[in-house]
Amino acid sequence: MDVIESLLDITTTRNYVPVKVNELPIDVQVDFLISNHFDVFRSKEAQLWRLQNLYYIMTKDGQKKRFTLNRAQRHFFENYLAKGYKKIAILKARQLGFTTLISLYFLDLVIFNPNSEALQIAHTLKDANEIFNRKIIYAIKNLPKAVKEILDMSQAKASRQQFSYPDGSVSAIGVSNSARSGTFSVGVHISELGKLAKLYQGRAEEIVTGTLPAVPVGGQAIVESTAEGASGLFYEIFMDGWKIRETVTPAMSKAHFKCVFYNWTWDTEEIEAASVDGIISIDQMEECEIDWRAYQQENQLSDKEISFYYLKWINANKDVDKLHQEFPTHPMEAFLSSGSPYFNSRKVAEFLDRADNNYKRYSFINNEFVEDDRGDLYIYEQPKSGKNYVIGGDVAEGLLNGDYSVAMVVGFDKHIKALYRGHCEPDEYEEMVRSLGKKYNTALLAVEFNKDGNWVNTALRNNEYPNLYIRTTVDDITKEITKSYGWLTNKKNRDFMLGEAKKWFNSTDMINCKPLLEEMLTFVRDKRGKPQAASGKHDDIVISACIAIAVLQGKKETEQEKVKQHSIMTAVFGHH
């Protein structure tokens, strides 16, 4: 039984009638606790009871309501706040109530811990004032009379409330739209850091250099936000912490952010409310970038949940980008700047969590691969005698800030063996990939023919590399057969290679290549449904892997099979 509930579970007399204290009005209960058990009443152990009994909030429709933690708020309080985590970053869906919870949580700590101070930061002055007036001041005005009597609240400003106590102690809570120096013993709460960092880079820098360092070791720094693209301060804080989230204990959280994610499925009340009049079947859902049936299966959503999610898409003006940003199902999905994920982002993230650093890096120097911790070649498995390999290649111009030139080595078992990713000139790439092919038992080289790939394929042939991918075309009139070297990406075989890669991804139980997985997270369907890299991201590794997997399509996974010099595309689509 809760520490406060046990104190209230006693019988008293009211109007000459025996009654339990916990059955009396809340003002009477609070007066009883303050008069008889004040030390327990103000203790950390009693905070959950205080949060749900002392504070009132204004609902969305303007009604006064005693604050009660919803499912997501209670989980966060019990698993992170009550357990003493100090630095916490929350990636969230909209309307889960974290700003309200943290506002009241900090207010409660300030009231019952004299000589303490807390600061809340919002991305605009309007939002800061709304947090202060609708959440903090409203809660203060509606405190039980017995609590108000122990506080002097006369020292109030437009954005700061000070509390004075009979012994001369002083505490305060304030809000701001920018970071400022100070000593915030209780802590700092930054609401919608993603928006703040996106709109006001200077303020974001102040948070890093001024505000967060101003929180003492015992204080808390709580950051919560919806996502605002795969860049910026919030993205960096969250992604850095998400990678190590399993290792961040309360003690470690003094130095590292404990990153947590609450998606829209935590809003059980709204989901239930949306299904009162029935659910929308998938067959009735309008087609868009999201395959609703596949999305439901991939994310293990109930019929009620996928129906609710579809309604959110409608309410977002059918904007998938906005839907993913404000109502993400998976944390990686939230940060996509555009488009719907082509690969199952939940599975990609699971692979990233499990991926290790079991590889060695090499640089290509003087026609040989030299071990180098900063090299562009990652080798996950050295070539084995008798094994066959395919290398998918994507050639770039070699510009320092442009796309990468990539070569992906895949075994006939469809496991990734090596990855080259670097900025190099086409002639340097040709020398490297020729050496890499020889290293992997004269692997079948399938370098994309498009753009600079034409030059590379010609050079590979002139340098007599013996195992090049060949395309054949037949003249409709003369029936003359023409052979061409390299993988030609057009609409027809692009769809084919992407489809084969997706089937491979869906069937595999692990991919240990982090650079590939990271690109998969931002490989999306755009508004026209075309799969490609999200705005500002790369897909060179994805395309190289897709080429290798497509070339392997239809081949028997046996080590004795001889690599055939013909076009997989011919076998699938006929002569072209």
Side-chain angles (χ1 to χ4, degrees):
M1 182 179 291
D2 182 89
V3 61
I4 294 294
E5 290 179 353
S6 64
L7 295 176
L8 296 174
D9 190 32
I10 63 171
T11 302
T12 186
T13 301
R14 186 173 178 84
N15 297 327
Y16 307 104
V17 177
V19 64
K20 289 288 186 73
V21 175
N22 55 21
E23 296 175 355
L24 296 173
I26 191 64
D27 278 358
V28 178
Q29 295 182 42
V30 172
D31 184 64
F32 169 81
L33 291 169
I34 291 177
S35 301
N36 298 282
H37 305 283
F38 184 68
D39 286 343
V40 177
F41 174 72
R42 66 183 292 270
S43 68
K44 182 70 175 177
E45 291 73 22
Q47 189 174 27
L48 181 58
W49 187 91
R50 294 197 304 269
L51 285 172
Q52 297 199 111
N53 288 278
L54 303 188
Y55 304 104
Y56 283 83
I57 60 172
M58 186 186 301
T59 62
K60 297 174 185 177
D61 56 1
Q63 300 298 309
K64 177 181 176 181
K65 177 186 175 183
R66 183 180 296 166
F67 178 64
T68 302
L69 277 69
N70 63 31
R71 177 173 167 243
Q73 291 168 336
R74 178 174 284 274
H75 182 274
F76 179 68
F77 179 87
E78 292 178 345
N79 290 276
Y80 303 106
L81 296 180
K83 290 186 178 180
Y85 284 92
K86 299 304 181 185
K87 296 174 69 176
I88 310 173
I90 311 167
L91 174 62
K92 60 174 188 174
R94 282 179 54 82
Q95 300 175 347
L96 291 179
F98 283 104
T99 300
T100 298
L101 169 63
I102 299 166
S103 296
L104 298 180
Y105 169 77
F106 271 9
L107 172 62
D108 183 81
L109 289 177
V110 165
I111 289 176
F112 293 101
N113 289 275
N115 295 320
S116 62
E117 184 165 358
L119 175 68
Q120 294 187 276
I121 296 173
H123 69 293
T124 67
L125 184 59
K126 178 182 177 182
D127 286 286
N129 288 334
E130 183 169 346
I131 290 173
F132 192 64
N133 292 321
R134 288 181 61 90
K135 303 184 187 301
I136 297 173
I137 296 300
Y138 189 84
I140 291 171
K141 287 182 177 179
N142 288 284
L143 281 169
K145 181 179 178 182
V147 175
K148 291 181 179 179
E149 288 177 348
I150 64 174
L151 302 172
D152 177 357
M153 297 182 289
S154 60
Q155 297 294 316
K157 297 181 180 179
S159 59
R160 187 174 186 270
Q161 175 66 60
Q162 182 171 297
F163 304 99
S164 299
Y165 303 86
D167 65 357
S169 302
V170 175
S171 291
I173 185 169
V175 296
S176 176
N177 69 327
S178 63
R180 59 184 176 86
S181 60
T183 303
F184 310 110
S185 56
V186 166
V188 172
H189 166 216
I190 306 169
S191 178
E192 292 299 343
L193 178 59
K195 288 185 174 64
L196 189 154
K198 182 178 181 179
L199 296 173
Y200 310 105
Q201 186 176 354
R203 293 180 189 170
E205 292 174 357
E206 286 181 14
I207 288 172
V208 174
T209 60
T211 303
L212 293 180
V215 179
V217 173
Q220 289 180 294
I222 304 176
V223 172
E224 46 96 4
S225 185
T226 50
E228 287 288 336
S231 62
L233 179 59
F234 179 67
Y235 174 78
E236 293 169 2
I237 286 175
F238 188 85
M239 292 305 295
D240 286 346
W242 187 253
K243 295 173 185 176
I244 60 171
R245 64 189 182 280
E246 299 299 334
T247 65
V248 179
T249 61
M252 279 190 64
S253 70
K254 296 174 184 177
H256 302 281
F257 274 95
K258 177 70 172 182
C259 291
V260 298
F261 172 63
Y262 289 88
N263 71 7
W264 57 271
T265 63
W266 283 88
D267 197 352
T268 50
E269 292 181 7
E270 285 293 319
I271 292 171
E272 287 297 325
S275 64
V276 168
D277 298 321
I279 62 173
I280 301 171
S281 71
I282 286 181
D283 293 336
Q284 295 175 297
M285 294 181 184
E286 183 180 334
E287 292 184 4
C288 68
E289 301 100 300
I290 299 175
D291 182 331
W292 300 105
R293 190 178 305 279
Y295 197 83
Q296 179 182 18
Q297 294 172 350
E298 290 172 356
N299 294 286
Q300 301 176 358
L301 303 175
S302 68
D303 290 341
K304 286 183 180 180
E305 288 171 335
I306 194 64
S307 178
F308 173 84
Y309 197 57
Y310 178 75
L311 290 174
K312 287 299 180 184
W313 174 68
I314 297 292
N315 293 336
N317 294 321
K318 303 180 181 180
D319 187 332
V320 171
D321 298 347
K322 186 176 181 180
L323 177 71
H324 285 160
Q325 176 179 298
E326 299 194 344
F327 295 96
T329 304
H330 189 276
M332 302 307 120
E333 178 183 87
F335 288 112
L336 290 178
S337 56
S338 63
S340 175
Y342 183 77
F343 298 99
N344 183 345
S345 56
R346 180 185 296 275
K347 189 173 182 180
V348 175
E350 288 174 355
F351 286 172
L352 271 171
D353 287 343
R354 292 163 53 195
D356 56 36
N357 294 321
N358 188 23
Y359 58 78
K360 289 186 177 180
R361 295 178 67 170
Y362 296 79
S363 288
F364 185 63
I365 303 174
N366 296 328
N367 289 314
E368 63 177 336
F369 296 105
V370 180
E371 194 166 337
D372 177 2
D373 290 342
R374 301 182 66 181
D376 294 326
L377 176 65
Y378 299 71
I379 291 186
Y380 300 92
E381 182 182 298
Q382 294 287 351
K384 295 181 179 179
S385 177
K387 302 288 185 179
N388 294 319
Y389 303 92
V390 171
I391 299 179
D394 186 14
V395 188
E397 297 177 61
L399 301 177
L400 184 60
N401 296 319
D403 290 338
Y404 289 98
S405 288
V406 176
M408 178 71 76
V409 183
V410 180
F412 273 34
D413 59 1
K414 295 188 178 179
H415 289 170
I416 294 170
K417 311 300 180 180
L419 165 68
Y420 171 85
R421 178 183 64 173
H423 292 292
C424 62
E425 299 289 339
D427 57 338
E428 296 173 348
Y429 176 85
E430 186 274 333
E431 292 177 0
M432 183 283 302
V433 79
R434 180 156 40 93
S435 295
L436 186 62
K438 290 178 180 178
K439 177 179 177 67
Y440 277 87
N441 302 338
T442 316
L444 174 60
L445 288 185
V447 177
E448 189 175 36
F449 177 82
N450 307 53
K451 298 180 181 179
D452 293 290
N454 183 11
W455 187 94
V456 171
N457 277 287
T458 300
L460 287 169
R461 186 183 179 190
N462 291 339
N463 286 312
E464 299 181 344
Y465 186 81
N467 195 13
L468 295 177
Y469 178 79
I470 299 175
R471 294 171 286 114
T472 60
T473 57
V474 180
D475 189 283
D476 291 337
I477 299 175
T478 66
K479 305 303 180 184
E480 181 179 346
I481 298 175
T482 302
K483 293 183 178 181
S484 303
Y485 293 86
W487 177 275
L488 177 62
T489 300
N490 54 30
K491 176 66 171 68
K492 194 172 186 179
N493 60 17
R494 189 178 194 273
D495 290 344
F496 166 75
M497 75 176 188
L498 290 173
E500 289 304 312
K502 193 167 189 176
K503 287 193 291 185
W504 162 70
F505 173 79
N506 290 341
S507 64
T508 190
D509 59 1
M510 183 56 194
I511 296 173
N512 197 42
C513 179
K514 287 184 179 180
L516 171 61
L517 293 169
E518 288 167 352
E519 278 198 1
M520 282 180 161
L521 283 176
T522 55
F523 192 76
V524 302
R525 290 187 183 276
D526 64 15
K527 294 186 182 298
R528 296 173 298 171
K530 180 181 178 181
Q532 61 183 9
S535 177
K537 300 298 178 181
H538 296 279
D539 61 9
D540 317 288
I541 303 174
V542 168
I543 296 302
S544 296
C546 289
I547 291 172
I549 294 300
V551 168
L552 283 170
Q553 189 275 344
K555 286 185 174 294
K556 295 179 181 179
E557 295 182 9
T558 172
E559 303 305 332
Q560 285 74 37
E561 181 190 15
K562 182 179 180 180
V563 178
K564 298 178 181 179
Q565 301 275 341
H566 75 286
S567 170
I568 295 298
M569 297 306 299
T570 300
V572 175
F573 295 113
H575 293 292
H576 60 286

